[in-house]
Amino acid sequence: MKPVTFLAVLLGLAACDAQVESRKAAVPAEQAAPAAAPLTAAGPAATVQPDAGEGQQWAAGVVELTQLTHQGDRTVKLFGTAGGDPAMNGLYTHVAFFDSPAEGWRVFRIGDFLDYRVLSEAPGRVDLEIDESTMDEASGNIGSRTRRVIIGWALATDGSAPATVTVTPAQ
């Protein structure tokens, strides 16, 4: 592009939005974000040590969380943690049931996938569509597939978390 043409284009673009400063002033004050002053300390700082409990490292790797909402009074969630080889799946997927404050969560690993989507949910059941990597053992080629599964569990009459969970292929 010739220098004169470039300069003309640049000046033309600059003139296109000459009113931007006047529009900034027209924004009502209640729509502008308030400026927040930094907090000041109001007491001594508490030193916190890292958690040393079993399983604390994988808890920090949670990358996907789905609350199941059709389980009655039971608190149930699906979650995935980052792990393994992300080129070959890597979303360690779990279903977890809150048992009690004393017992905490009962967690079941249901697979290692690329991703999951909840298709439907009913008490004691969740239907998933799963994307996952596959490998042809003979050629070593990596492919992908989508499949569906039913995650099921028995609803305990006493409200406790299930002892087992089933993973059933589905169509």
Side-chain angles (χ1 to χ4, degrees), residues 108-130:
F108 300 88
R109 183 168 162 187
I110 58 173
D112 181 11
F113 313 120
L114 286 172
D115 197 14
Y116 70 84
R117 282 172 298 292
V118 174
L119 299 175
S120 65
E121 177 192 350
R125 173 185 174 136
V126 62
D127 297 346
L128 300 179
E129 184 173 78
I130 296 167

Side-chain angles (χ1 to χ4, degrees), residues 14-38:
C16 288
D17 203 10
Q19 301 298 318
V20 71
E21 292 303 318
S22 61
R23 284 194 309 276
K24 282 183 184 176
V27 174
E30 63 271 3
Q31 288 182 0

Side-chain angles (χ1 to χ4, degrees), residues 120-142:
S120 65
E121 177 192 350
R125 173 185 174 136
V126 62
D127 297 346
L128 300 179
E129 184 173 78
I130 296 167
D131 295 326
E132 61 187 347
S133 300
T134 60
M135 180 180 284
D136 182 329
E137 295 296 329
S139 67
N141 291 333
I142 296 176

Side-chain angles (χ1 to χ4, degrees), residues 7-156:
L7 183 59
V9 170
L10 183 61
L11 289 173
L13 288 173
C16 288
D17 203 10
Q19 301 298 318
V20 71
E21 292 303 318
S22 61
R23 284 194 309 276
K24 282 183 184 176
V27 174
E30 63 271 3
Q31 288 182 0
L39 299 176
T40 57
T47 301
V48 179
Q49 299 298 321
D51 287 338
E54 185 177 323
Q56 295 301 320
Q57 288 296 314
W58 67 264
V62 172
V63 295
E64 190 161 342
L65 175 66
T66 307
Q67 294 285 354
L68 300 181
T69 57
H70 302 313
Q71 302 305 316
D73 292 336
R74 165 93 23 232
T75 302
V76 183
K77 62 185 169 183
L78 289 169
F79 68 96
T81 59
D85 181 359
M88 191 68 184
N89 297 312
L91 182 66
Y92 295 149
T93 305
H94 306 80
V95 61
F97 303 84
F98 186 73
D99 202 10
S100 70
E103 298 296 319
W105 291 89
R106 186 167 300 167
V107 179
F108 300 88
R109 183 168 162 187
I110 58 173
D112 181 11
F113 313 120
L114 286 172
D115 197 14
Y116 70 84
R117 282 172 298 292
V118 174
L119 299 175
S120 65
E121 177 192 350
R125 173 185 174 136
V126 62
D127 297 346
L128 300 179
E129 184 173 78
I130 296 167
D131 295 326
E132 61 187 347
S133 300
T134 60
M135 180 180 284
D136 182 329
E137 295 296 329
S139 67
N141 291 333
I142 296 176
S144 65
R145 71 177 172 193
T146 300
R147 64 185 178 102
R148 295 178 175 185
V149 296
I150 302 164
I151 310 300
W153 56 90
L155 298 172

